Amino acid sequence: MSGARVVAVANQKGGVGKTTTSVNVAAGLAQAGRRVLLVDLDPQGNATMGSGVDKRKCARTVYQVLLGLGDIATIRVRSQAGGYDLVPANRELAGAEVELVGLSNREGRLRAAIDSLAQEYEFVLIDCPPSLSLLTVNAFTAAHEVLIPMQCEYYALEGLSDLVGTIKQVRAHLNPRLEIAGLLRTMYDPRNTLSHHVSQQLEEHFGDKVYRTLVPRNVRLAEAPSFGAPAVVWDRSSKGAQAYLALADEILARAGFTAGAPA
Ligand SMILES: Nc1ncnc2c1ncn2[C@@H]1O[C@H](COP(=O)(O)OP(=O)(O)OP(=O)(O)O)[C@@H](O)[C@H]1O
Ligand SMILES: [Mg+2]
């Protein structure tokens, strides 16, 4: 394979597990011996903190990358906890949206930056903000595929059509290679009937675009960020971590790697 597989983790709905998925898949792939870059593209900076990097201490972030004020190669830092490289984000990124509007190639800036170091990695993950904004469009323009975390609840399906619509528009105008990698069921509770029903509906509608791996609701996943490490590192044996390791294997297999190769 030449160059990294670029995966945007996106859903405009807030709190569905995008960041938890981004950091745990990044660390899971790293544990399988893959070279991984995680790009935090959310002003909340949660993926940065969850990788054990203090967002308040990052003088340069993805904001400088997008505005052409710095080189991504020198702005990336190492997530020691996660075993991957990280392009951090913090509140400063909130201003980028407005500032980008007047600039050339405003949708393609992240792609240009990622392309410049794609040869150094096997996977680049992008943790998107909860919106279909210019930031998310930058992620979709840079990506080969979109991984969509979602909770199995009634309104989840409604939001999906807006998301798929945006993906189609980006594919038509900016990035013909863009595909949906898969839908990931997060915070899954098998005892909840609606959860079960929506999950089945997803499988019927989207078939093998739904990841086999189900991520259960598991408090260890929620606790890990306060310890500055992904759950797959901090408590590897927890049910949540095990699910994300299985997902990483599924992603490796789909990308044509032998799953679970030793680090
Ligand atoms: N499987 C899970 N079990 C329990 N808690 C979870 C699980 N996945 C995520 N959480 C918790 O739910 C909250 C939202 O998750 P997360 O931050 O990953 O979602 P998000 O989609 O990135 O949110 P945002 O849209 O704000 O960026 C967090 O507090 C997280 O720790
Ligand atoms: Mg998030």
Side-chain angles (χ1 to χ4, degrees):
M1 186 187 294
S2 79
R5 192 92 197 138
V6 182
V7 182
V9 180
N11 189 334
Q12 78 278 17
K13 204 161 153 25
V16 296
K18 293 179 289 294
T19 301
T20 305
T21 300
S22 298
V23 299
N24 283 289
V25 169
L29 292 171
Q31 285 183 16
R34 300 298 152 198
R35 290 164 298 154
V36 181
L37 176 69
L38 173 60
V39 179
D40 189 350
L41 198 57
D42 185 345
Q44 296 181 96
N46 293 343
T48 301
M49 298 298 280
S51 300
V53 174
D54 190 344
K55 65 182 177 184
R56 292 155 300 198
K57 293 187 179 146
C58 295
R60 298 194 312 158
T61 66
V62 71
Y63 171 83
Q64 276 75 21
V65 172
L66 289 170
L67 290 183
L69 302 173
D71 181 2
I72 190 170
T74 60
I75 289 172
R76 68 183 154 176
V77 294
R78 185 73 180 163
S79 166
Q80 296 295 349
Y84 50 80
D85 290 346
L86 170 80
V87 179
N90 58 29
R91 305 175 50 173
E92 199 177 14
L93 179 59
E97 195 87 26
V98 174
E99 293 170 55
L100 275 171
V101 167
L103 302 181
S104 63
N105 189 27
R106 61 185 178 189
E107 300 96 350
R109 289 176 162 251
L110 185 63
R111 178 171 184 162
I114 288 175
D115 282 353
S116 75
L117 37 70
Q119 297 301 328
E120 296 180 39
Y121 299 98
E122 283 142 334
F123 290 93
V124 177
L125 301 173
I126 308 169
D127 184 32
C128 292
S131 65
L132 295 172
S133 60
L134 188 50
L135 290 176
T136 299
V137 169
N138 259 272
F140 287 176
T141 304
H144 296 95
E145 51 193 23
V146 186
L147 189 166
I148 306 172
M150 53 190 301
Q151 277 180 267
C152 290
E153 54 185 33
Y154 181 70
Y155 291 112
L157 295 169
E158 271 189 8
L160 205 53
S161 54
D162 291 337
L163 179 55
V164 171
T166 302
I167 291 171
K168 283 186 176 158
Q169 286 207 349
V170 171
R171 191 190 289 142
H173 301 292
L174 295 163
N175 180 14
R177 71 184 180 181
L178 187 66
E179 291 172 26
I180 294 179
L183 303 173
L184 174 70
R185 292 163 288 182
T186 61
M187 299 179 224
Y188 188 70
D189 177 3
R191 289 163 304 183
N192 178 325
T193 318
L194 178 62
S195 202
H196 191 70
H197 181 69
V198 172
S199 169
Q200 279 186 324
Q201 264 194 326
L202 280 179
E203 284 182 348
E204 279 163 24
H205 263 84
F206 294 95
D208 60 11
K209 282 289 177 194
V210 182
Y211 288 105
R212 297 295 102 200
T213 307
L214 280 156
V215 178
R217 189 171 281 284
N218 179 243
V219 70
R220 303 305 262 174
L221 290 171
E223 289 168 346
S226 63
F227 295 90
V232 300
V233 174
W234 176 64
D235 185 359
R236 197 170 200 279
S237 62
S238 63
K239 284 209 158 64
Q242 287 294 312
Y244 276 114
L245 291 171
L247 178 64
D249 278 350
E250 210 179 328
I251 290 170
L252 284 166
R254 286 189 186 201
F257 290 98
T258 313

